[in-house]
Amino acid sequence: MNEFCVIHLESQSPIVAAAIHNGHKLSEHQARITALSEKERFREEDPYTGIWAKISGNHIIGQRSRFEFDLNRAPEKAIYILPSDAWGLNLWKKPLSDRVIEKTLQRYTSIYQEINEGLSKLIERFGKIVILDLHSYCHRRGGPEAPPDDPELNPEINIGTGTMDRDYWAPLVDRFISDLRSYEFQGKPWDIRENVKFRGGYFPTWIHSNFAESACCISIEMKKFFMDEWSGKPDWDAIDAVSEALNQTLPGLMAEITNERKTNLKQDDNIP
């Protein structure tokens, strides 16, 4: 197992769930020189998303903090060096050395190579696959006592489709959003909107660049209604509900992927 990222892409399913910002650990050297407290790092990471990724036998779960390397950013931006790279936070007690940066980027690159190999094998087996790119985001940046950010600009669930050919993948994406909206938590559906807060980062961009018509990566940003983002305390009822809601979408995704495969086979049969 990769100690930096759990990558299991061998299940007999065309569905992958990814939680690339789930990790909290830092390398021994970076842990010594970080200027951030545990709570500061935890607040900007995506805790508990690794639980949701377990809805599929195929999953990618980050084990290292995004403050070591960020798998949702391009290689040249994957390591946070300046405060401007990470919400204005004072990141390091002393600058990262070129040697540390080079070694860290090697880890980042090896993870992407392993993901590329795994996704390629799944596509070879199924023809088309779908990746649920699971994240969370803060909405109380004014502080623990401040009111939450404007809900009109911060849906409970933001679906990011800005990195894909939205028309091409419309049946699958529309089915996913519809099935997710049908789930009720505490007697009401969640506020689910598309491309309001986030459109998708480097990870889905990379997938759609390499597997444009073979892999659909849907970026799912959960507002941190499932935890207190300042104390880190989880709301297990809400966390379990998100898992249930995501699990509820799997049959629809499977049906759409199967329909896509059948359509492609029919088209291939008609080729003279």
Side-chain angles (χ1 to χ4, degrees):
M1 184 183 74
N2 190 317
E3 66 176 298
F4 304 103
C5 187
V6 174
I7 302 172
H8 189 278
L9 298 173
E10 300 174 356
S11 173
Q12 297 297 313
S13 169
I15 300 172
V16 178
I20 58 176
H21 282 163
N22 173 79
H24 182 63
K25 294 180 181 178
L26 290 173
S27 70
E28 184 177 342
H29 175 72
Q30 286 169 304
R32 283 199 306 269
I33 68 170
T34 181
L36 298 171
S37 68
E38 289 274 330
K39 281 188 175 181
E40 284 176 313
R41 285 197 293 115
F42 199 68
R43 188 159 57 246
E44 299 297 349
E45 294 159 349
D46 293 356
Y48 313 112
T49 54
I51 295 172
W52 303 332
K54 293 292 184 67
I55 62 168
S56 175
N58 290 317
H59 48 257
I60 302 165
I61 304 175
Q63 301 296 290
R64 290 301 179 98
S65 173
R66 66 189 303 174
F67 289 96
E68 182 169 336
F69 54 83
D70 190 336
L71 290 169
N72 206 30
R73 295 192 186 182
E76 63 273 14
K77 296 182 179 294
I79 300 174
Y80 305 165
I81 296 173
L82 301 173
S84 57
D85 296 329
W87 309 279
L89 296 171
N90 180 27
L91 297 166
W92 309 108
K93 296 174 184 176
K94 63 178 183 178
L96 294 172
S97 68
D98 290 343
R99 178 177 172 277
V100 167
I101 291 173
E102 181 181 1
K103 189 174 182 179
T104 303
L105 280 176
Q106 288 173 353
R107 292 168 179 166
Y108 168 100
T109 300
S110 70
I111 289 171
Y112 264 95
Q113 289 173 341
E114 189 173 346
I115 293 172
N116 182 71
E117 291 172 5
L119 295 184
S120 296
K121 289 178 181 177
L122 287 177
I123 290 168
E124 184 178 353
R125 183 183 306 165
F126 296 105
K128 294 190 178 184
I129 63 174
V130 58
I131 300 100
L132 302 180
D133 176 30
L134 301 164
H135 297 270
S136 63
Y137 75 93
C138 296
H139 67 115
R140 305 189 70 96
R141 290 199 174 275
E145 305 302 325
D149 296 340
D150 185 356
E152 286 299 313
L153 303 176
N154 295 270
E156 288 169 310
I157 303 178
N158 180 99
I159 305 298
T161 58
T163 67
M164 68 172 70
D165 183 338
R166 182 63 173 83
D167 292 336
Y168 180 82
W169 292 108
L172 189 149
V173 175
D174 292 343
R175 176 70 177 271
F176 173 77
I177 293 174
S178 176
D179 288 348
L180 197 60
R181 280 185 175 142
S182 70
Y183 185 87
E184 292 191 356
F185 177 60
Q186 297 179 343
K188 66 182 184 68
W190 283 308
D191 172 20
I192 302 172
R193 284 176 279 156
E194 194 171 344
N195 298 326
V196 174
K197 188 78 175 178
F198 304 97
R199 297 177 59 82
Y202 177 75
F203 180 62
T205 299
W206 174 84
I207 289 173
H208 293 130
S209 294
N210 286 278
F211 310 105
E213 296 187 352
S214 302
C216 177
C217 185
I218 306 172
S219 295
I220 305 155
E221 291 271 359
M222 304 286 183
K223 186 161 71 174
K224 290 184 177 177
F225 60 83
F226 58 88
M227 64 179 289
D228 184 316
E229 65 189 57
W230 285 90
S231 70
K233 182 179 179 181
D235 178 342
W236 289 111
D237 287 341
I239 290 170
D240 290 344
V242 171
S243 289
E244 290 175 8
L246 291 169
N247 195 61
Q248 181 177 288
T249 70
L250 299 186
L253 290 173
M254 187 70 76
E256 293 299 330
I257 286 290
T258 302
N259 287 339
E260 286 273 359
R261 189 177 184 185
K262 288 179 179 177
T263 299
N264 289 343
L265 288 173
K266 287 180 180 179
Q267 290 173 344
D268 291 343
D269 289 342
N270 292 329
I271 295 175

